[in-house]
Amino acid sequence: MKIAINGACGRMGQAVQKAAKEAGVEVAALIDAVAEPGVVQKLTGKLDAMVDFSTPEAALERLEECVKTGTPAVLCTTGFSDAQKARIAEAAKKIPVLFSSNMSVGVNLLFKRVPEIAKSLGKDYDVDIVETHHRFKKDAPSGTAKTLAERIEAATGRKPNVHSVRSGDEVGEHRIIFGTLGDTIEIIHRASTRDIFAKGSIEAARWLSTAKPGLYSMLDVIP
């Protein structure tokens, strides 16, 4: 299996390179705006998949190239506008596109189960989401927090309060707090290494390489 990595020079791009090597997946193209030896600025040939950890603008440029070459695209970048998301949905009519705000298997299990818990607890419980990331993360709230909030609102009709913290070198923490008079329930996912997201993206690329055109998420990948 051969993949391309967009955003190859970034922290996550480097983690994906490591994960690919450990999984026996060949990285056939390193793509980034940074001019470094062995790094190119665009996707030129069809591969089994492209994994993107870059920026919304760079991701959409590569997505257009994926459509032209028929390459499945794993989009792991966050911070897209509604108009940009519409462009992703349009591309997914022509090629397989996996678009997920978080590539961790653990977080995606939260996406499945937390809305069920919120629905069971009912209106007596306040719902808050607190997300903490490193000081260099550009978007706030995080894509993961937005997805959690959207799924909770869809299940309950109530919009959770979302709080963002940007501090130090925190890889990523998401706390879902259910509070009422008398008790509090907290569910926490804490990422201690970027490797979990990188490994998830490789799993997603393997799965997507044989999928039909359409828009998918990590919820389609995990059992």
Side-chain angles (χ1 to χ4, degrees):
M1 182 176 174
K2 296 181 179 180
I3 66 170
I5 301 173
N6 188 40
C9 296
R11 294 182 180 183
M12 279 308 310
Q14 293 175 47
V16 175
Q17 293 180 55
K18 176 185 173 185
K21 182 177 181 180
E22 292 174 350
V25 172
E26 179 182 347
V27 178
L30 298 174
I31 309 170
D32 205 294
V34 179
E36 289 189 1
V39 177
V40 297
Q41 272 67 56
K42 64 180 181 179
L43 179 69
T44 56
K46 187 179 186 304
L47 300 167
D48 293 301
M50 180 203 71
V51 175
D52 170 81
F53 278 99
S54 60
T55 65
E57 295 74 21
L60 290 176
E61 287 181 14
R62 300 293 83 74
L63 183 60
E64 290 180 3
E65 293 160 8
C66 285
V67 170
K68 291 178 181 178
T69 58
T71 305
V74 180
L75 303 182
C76 312
T77 297
T78 59
F80 291 97
S81 66
D82 289 342
Q84 289 171 326
K85 290 178 181 178
R87 290 174 61 183
I88 293 171
E90 190 64 27
K93 296 177 182 178
K94 302 173 183 178
I95 60 171
V97 178
L98 191 145
F99 178 39
S100 184
S101 59
N102 194 299
M103 304 306 293
S104 159
V105 172
V107 165
N108 279 274
L109 287 174
L110 290 189
F111 289 161
K112 277 189 173 183
R113 303 306 178 201
V114 166
E116 297 173 1
I117 294 170
K119 188 174 182 180
S120 297
L121 290 174
K123 295 182 179 180
D124 286 342
Y125 283 79
D126 302 316
V127 186
D128 289 82
I129 299 169
V130 182
E131 58 95 356
T132 304
H133 286 85
H134 55 86
R135 65 176 66 168
F136 303 108
K137 185 170 177 61
K138 296 179 180 179
D139 56 320
S142 68
T144 299
K146 287 181 180 179
T147 300
L148 282 166
E150 289 166 359
R151 293 181 69 84
I152 290 171
E153 185 176 6
T156 66
R158 300 169 59 210
K159 193 171 184 176
N161 300 309
V162 181
H163 315 272
S164 298
V165 179
R166 295 290 173 267
S167 180
D169 60 355
E170 177 72 53
V171 173
E173 178 185 279
H174 291 85
R175 297 166 58 207
I176 304 94
I177 305 169
F178 299 98
T180 191
L181 301 178
D183 73 344
T184 300
I185 300 169
E186 284 194 37
I187 301 172
I188 303 175
H189 181 275
R190 188 175 294 117
S192 58
T193 171
R194 292 176 178 80
D195 291 349
I196 61 168
F197 309 122
K199 290 177 181 178
S201 73
I202 296 299
E203 290 182 33
R206 284 190 187 279
W207 185 90
L208 197 68
S209 65
T210 58
K212 296 179 180 179
L215 187 59
Y216 304 96
S217 76
M218 276 298 284
L219 292 173
D220 296 300
V221 178
I222 65 176

